[in-house]
């Protein structure tokens, strides 16, 4: 299969972005971070890394080191990640341009992430990326992705009605499933998982990264019209 679908234009009332793998790529930093933490808490770092992407640190710790599974420990631990490994993270291609378009048009958008608040703000500061007006983090919900609560909360914080068309931008299968379960349309990015893994999670569109997503209009009512180009296929069935 090739990323060669013709351009498609779709209109939404609001956009909900995942963070890591969607706006930034901090994979190498996270690998180093979990190796350090794993050695500190006596858990094989490779075991942690097998299940960590797209999931909250507290959920991983509940399984592998329950005594460390507290909000306070996670916030302190994750606050150090951008400070220690700031040079390891890069932005996902197309992310900055899309966010700048949305901000200029005053379009409704939010970040919905499995990371903690200190982690999110730390990375946005390091990479000089815009901070969202609305943010849902690991601390915001009882259960992480693939539970849809985080995306339902993001939807609510944008002040959108129940019949709104909302787009989730995600890279992890757990996040894609959460977005779909929350009633959103989902575009899956092949940035952290294989094409096959992303397709298996059943997003509505699949693209390589955010260079394939451009804002082409924003109405006075806040509705955002996007163009998806070079998708894997027009729609994933």
């Amino acid at each position: 299969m090739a990323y060669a679908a013709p351009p498609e234009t779709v209109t939404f009332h609001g956009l909900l972005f995942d963070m890591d793998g969607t706006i930034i790529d901090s994979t190498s930093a996270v690998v180093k971070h979990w190796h350090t933490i794993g050695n500190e808490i006596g858990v094989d770092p490779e075991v942690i890394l097998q299940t960590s992407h797209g999931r909250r640190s507290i959920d991983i710790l509940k399984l592998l080191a329950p005594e460390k599974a507290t909000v306070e420990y996670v916030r302190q631990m994750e606050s150090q990640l951008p400070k220690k490994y700031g040079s390891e993270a890069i932005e996902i291609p197309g992310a900055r341009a899309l966010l700048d378009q949305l901000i200029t048009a005053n379009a409704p958008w939010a970040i919905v992430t499995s990371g903690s608040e200190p982690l999110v703000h730390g990375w946005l500061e390091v990479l000089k990326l815009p901070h969202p007006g609305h943010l849902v983090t690991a601390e915001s919900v009882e259960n992480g992705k693939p539970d849809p609560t985080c995306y339902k909360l993001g939807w609510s914080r944008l002040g959108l009605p129940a019949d709104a068309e909302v787009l989730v931008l995600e890279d992890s299968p757990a996040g894609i499933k959460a977005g779909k379960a929350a009633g959103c349309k989902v575009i899956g990015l092949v940035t952290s998982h294989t094409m096959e893994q992303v397709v298996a999670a059943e997003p509505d569109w699949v693209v390589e990264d955010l260079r394939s997503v451009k804002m082409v209009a924003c109405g006075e009512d806040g509705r955002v019209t996007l163009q998806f180009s070079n998708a894997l296929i027009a729609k994933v069935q």
Side-chain angles (χ1 to χ4, degrees):
M1 292 188 287
Y3 296 98
E8 181 176 359
T9 302
V10 192
T11 299
F12 301 97
H13 295 90
L15 280 66
L16 301 174
F17 289 80
D18 173 50
M19 180 77 174
D20 204 354
T22 301
I23 295 176
I24 71 165
D25 178 359
S26 65
T27 302
S28 61
V30 170
V31 169
K32 291 180 179 180
H33 165 75
W34 277 122
H35 271 85
T36 299
I37 298 301
N39 291 328
E40 286 179 1
I41 65 178
V43 177
D44 184 350
E46 294 303 323
V47 173
I48 299 174
L49 290 167
Q50 287 170 9
T51 58
S52 63
H53 192 88
R55 300 180 64 193
R56 300 186 306 170
S57 294
I58 196 167
D59 294 328
I60 299 164
L61 293 170
K62 283 177 181 177
L63 293 173
L64 302 176
E67 71 281 0
K68 295 291 187 180
T70 67
V71 172
E72 294 75 19
Y73 177 76
V74 169
R75 284 175 62 90
Q76 188 279 329
M77 173 187 73
E78 291 192 346
S79 71
Q80 299 304 305
L81 211 166
K83 297 176 183 177
K84 291 182 177 179
Y85 308 110
S87 62
E88 300 283 341
I90 59 174
E91 59 194 68
I92 294 295
R96 186 183 299 272
L98 179 57
L99 292 177
D100 286 346
Q101 286 181 312
L102 296 172
I103 292 168
T104 298
N106 199 30
W109 68 283
I111 289 178
V112 179
T113 176
S114 298
S116 64
E117 193 171 342
L119 180 65
V120 174
H121 289 303
W123 279 132
L124 293 177
E125 287 294 328
V126 166
L127 292 170
K128 299 295 186 279
L129 285 162
H131 291 255
H134 305 281
L135 177 63
V136 177
T137 64
E139 301 97 323
S140 306
V141 293
E142 186 67 29
N143 298 304
K145 302 169 185 177
D147 188 286
T149 304
C150 58
Y151 279 118
K152 290 181 178 179
L153 182 57
W155 184 322
S156 173
R157 288 186 176 174
L158 289 181
L160 299 174
D163 61 350
E165 287 287 336
V166 178
L167 177 69
V168 162
L169 301 95
E170 262 283 1
D171 67 297
S172 74
I176 291 168
K177 291 175 182 177
K180 293 295 292 182
C184 303
K185 296 291 186 181
V186 179
I187 186 164
L189 281 64
V190 184
T191 54
S192 64
H193 291 73
T194 66
M195 177 198 301
E196 291 76 15
Q197 289 172 320
V198 172
V199 170
E202 301 185 337
D204 297 278
W205 300 271
V206 176
V207 295
E208 287 188 280
D209 54 46
L210 289 180
R211 288 174 294 184
S212 290
V213 183
K214 290 182 172 60
M215 192 190 82
V216 294
C218 184
E220 293 182 2
D221 59 356
R223 295 178 69 192
V224 181
T225 300
L226 302 176
Q227 183 183 79
F228 303 146
S229 60
N230 299 317
L232 181 63
I233 51 177
K235 284 278 182 125
V236 176
Q237 300 299 328

